[in-house]
Amino acid sequence: MAQTDTATRGNWNSKLGFILAAAGSAVGLGNIWRFPTEAASNGGGAFLIIYLICCFLIGFPVMMAEISMGRKTGKNPVGAFKALSSNKFYPLIGMWGVLCGVMILSFYTVVAGWTVSYVLEEILFFAGNPEWATWIGNTGNGWLNAIFSVAFMSATVSIIMGGVSDGIERATKTLMPLLFVILIVLIGYVVMQPGSGKGLATYLRPDFSMVTPALIFDAMGQAFFSLSLGMGALITYGSYLSKKENVPQAAALVTTTDTIVAFLAGLLIIPTMYMAQAQGITIFNASGDLIAGPALIFQVLPSLFHELGGLWGAMLGITFFVLLSVAALTSTISLLEVPVSYAIDEFQIKRKKAAMYIGLGILAVSLVISFQTSLIGVLDTIFSQIGLPLGGILICLFLSYEWKVQNAFEELDTGNPGFSQSLVGKVWKVMVMIVCPIVILYNLLSPYL
Ligand code: PHE
């Protein structure tokens, strides 16, 4: 029975395939765009330290919880809760996850579309067409946003249609190494440029006076978003993982890869901002804070690339936006795979059809956002900043008190014999049962306390 399930649902061909796909899901706009600006405007090294604590102490245990639920049941997030409990209430947690994924994908697609439009913007600028470059690089143009969203969603849908190993695994095996190479080359160039040292200092020197409950709230939300946790993406990816594999080790590798990429992206973006300042470009807004969010990536950095000019400016600009597009694509495929696997498992819809129709449905929301970009911030707050940590708490509580840690241990011991008896195993138990739910809840409520 398990054999047929695996054969029809798909499976990773190798452990590396899973690691790269899960790391591809984790590494995205969250790392390259959101993390560096959060760090720069939130006390540099202090944010970095709190963020690392959130990733390893909270994110890593939740990731193990998700992967173990997925692998145990071989199901999508809703199906996994159904399989592990007869209580009808719990699959609602999975449904909340699917909803968060759908909504995150709807705005993520629009931002991902911008990254592609800026590849063209850079090409046009350096080809000597600044007017066309300005026209295409206008994130306020609803029609352009719509066109690029359609393009990005089409790419995502076509990969998902290919299935688990021939679609997702094949794509991420090419895209992830590419991403690493581009990132390293860009950092190598940037840290040797004038002005970048000041950026490095801002990034790495901790300013602990800036550590506030709001900062910890941000760091935790960022950790959940960046590690793709709390909505069942890793339940889904875990469901295609072979029983031979070592889940704690895989989760550790994915968490570490994602954190390294976020750290490296900080090494790239923050010095680049100060390099821009050295070129006379404004990097602080009216209230004296570093420019963050879309304005940083889509205004400050392009002005720097243009200012540098010549072959270097062109290469730097084009490669940077290709890097962002690649990172975004490996994340959008995981966001779409969640509702698609739900439709395949629970409603027996064929993969190609499910990918097509769900992709179209989400695209409809993206089109509204294309014309109303202020929705991005609102949706991000509800579905990522609050939605994902909330999902994380519910997953920990479900695993601990309904499915039971003992059963999760049985799954984790499969592929890693003796894990339940090890120190990491014992610590993990305390984390999922007590520490994670309390810390996440406290943090979610802290803005109101
Ligand atoms: N982790 C992705 C990023 O950092 C976003 C994401 C969130 C992907 C949730 C899947 C699930 O950009």
Side-chain angles (χ1 to χ4, degrees):
M1 177 64 196
Q3 207 53 42
T4 5
D5 268 6
T6 307
T8 50
R9 287 183 85 251
N11 222 339
W12 306 115
N13 270 333
S14 66
K15 176 175 166 187
L16 183 69
F18 167 78
I19 304 282
L20 287 179
S25 164
V27 173
L29 298 173
N31 302 58
I32 302 175
W33 160 32
R34 235 168 82 157
F35 172 76
T37 53
E38 292 252 9
S41 42
N42 271 317
F47 184 86
L48 184 63
I49 292 170
I50 307 271
Y51 176 74
L52 289 178
I53 296 176
C54 290
C55 283
F56 285 94
L57 249 53
I58 309 289
F60 171 54
V62 176
M63 188 180 291
M64 273 170 54
E66 283 201 28
I67 302 177
S68 63
M69 284 176 64
R71 197 180 63 167
K72 169 74 195 174
T73 58
K75 285 276 157 48
N76 67 90
V78 179
F81 284 95
K82 278 193 196 160
L84 296 174
S85 160
S86 53
N87 186 321
K88 292 230 173 345
F89 166 79
Y90 295 112
L92 287 176
I93 304 175
M95 284 185 194
W96 171 247
V98 174
L99 178 70
C100 286
V102 163
M103 296 314 289
I104 293 175
L105 181 55
S106 70
F107 70 80
Y108 205 95
T109 302
V110 178
V111 181
W114 292 343
T115 66
V116 178
S117 69
Y118 268 77
V119 173
L120 300 179
E121 189 266 355
E122 291 297 295
I123 294 176
L124 286 169
F125 184 89
F126 288 103
N129 276 312
E131 299 82 26
W132 280 99
T134 313
W135 179 79
I136 210 157
N138 178 2
T139 54
N141 182 333
W143 289 104
L144 275 179
N145 293 344
I147 292 171
F148 284 105
S149 298
V150 171
F152 212 91
M153 184 58 89
S154 310
T156 309
V157 167
S158 64
I159 294 173
I160 291 300
M161 279 181 161
V164 178
S165 51
D166 289 342
I168 307 176
E169 186 169 352
R170 177 132 46 112
T172 45
K173 264 190 170 161
T174 324
L175 295 173
M176 288 304 284
L178 178 69
L179 181 139
F180 267 109
V181 173
I182 299 181
L183 191 56
I184 301 290
V185 170
L186 287 177
I187 295 173
Y189 175 75
V190 166
V191 294
M192 288 184 330
Q193 301 307 306
S196 67
K198 203 164 157 197
L200 280 181
T202 310
Y203 180 38
L204 299 174
R205 195 180 300 141
D207 177 0
F208 287 108
S209 68
M210 294 194 55
V211 178
T212 56
L215 179 144
I216 302 176
F217 174 84
D218 276 359
M220 190 187 69
Q222 174 63 24
F224 268 86
F225 185 80
S226 188
L227 293 169
S228 305
L229 294 175
M231 51 151 280
L234 285 144
I235 297 183
T236 311
Y237 274 16
S239 73
Y240 309 127
L241 187 63
S242 139
K243 294 277 184 202
K244 290 199 309 277
E245 306 301 352
N246 181 334
V247 172
Q249 189 201 52
L253 276 170
V254 175
T255 307
T256 311
T257 310
D258 185 65
T259 314
I260 290 177
V261 175
F263 178 75
L264 290 178
L267 283 185
L268 171 67
I269 305 284
I270 302 172
T272 307
M273 289 180 80
Y274 283 85
M275 219 172 116
Q277 191 189 33
Q279 299 274 349
I281 297 162
T282 324
I283 63 165
F284 294 98
N285 61 22
S287 44
D289 296 325
L290 275 174
I291 293 178
L296 164 68
I297 296 289
F298 301 109
Q299 280 168 28
V300 176
L301 298 187
S303 351
L304 169 69
F305 303 141
H306 299 170
E307 193 63 40
L308 290 172
L311 190 61
W312 280 115
M315 299 229 301
L316 201 60
I318 297 166
T319 338
F320 177 74
F321 287 108
V322 171
L323 167 76
L324 275 179
S325 312
V326 169
L329 185 59
T330 54
S331 296
T332 54
I333 56 186
S334 73
L335 284 161
L336 183 59
E337 179 63 15
V338 172
V340 167
S341 70
Y342 171 52
I344 296 175
D345 292 347
E346 306 302 309
F347 303 99
Q348 285 75 45
I349 301 176
K350 290 257 177 316
R351 171 172 282 276
K352 286 201 166 67
K353 209 165 157 190
M356 182 83 148
Y357 286 116
I358 296 173
L360 271 176
I362 299 175
L363 185 61
V365 186
S366 305
L367 295 185
V368 175
I369 301 170
S370 295
F371 289 91
Q372 258 330 312
T373 49
S374 56
L375 284 173
I376 296 179
V378 182
L379 295 175
D380 185 43
T381 307
I382 303 174
F383 295 103
S384 12
Q385 297 265 67
I386 300 174
L388 299 181
L390 182 65
I393 299 179
L394 297 172
I395 289 169
C396 288
L397 293 178
F398 173 83
L399 183 147
S400 308
Y401 305 103
E402 178 67 18
W403 183 31
K404 301 275 175 351
V405 177
Q406 224 30 54
N407 293 316
F409 267 147
E410 209 173 282
E411 185 58 31
L412 292 168
D413 282 344
T414 312
N416 184 348
F419 174 76
S420 53
Q421 303 307 318
S422 70
L423 179 64
V424 184
K426 291 191 174 122
V427 174
W428 177 75
K429 178 175 171 176
V430 180
M431 296 313 282
V432 269
M433 289 186 80
I434 304 164
V435 181
C436 294
I438 295 179
V439 172
I440 304 171
L441 185 65
Y442 178 79
N443 255 316
L444 271 183
L445 297 177
S446 66
Y448 312 99
L449 296 178

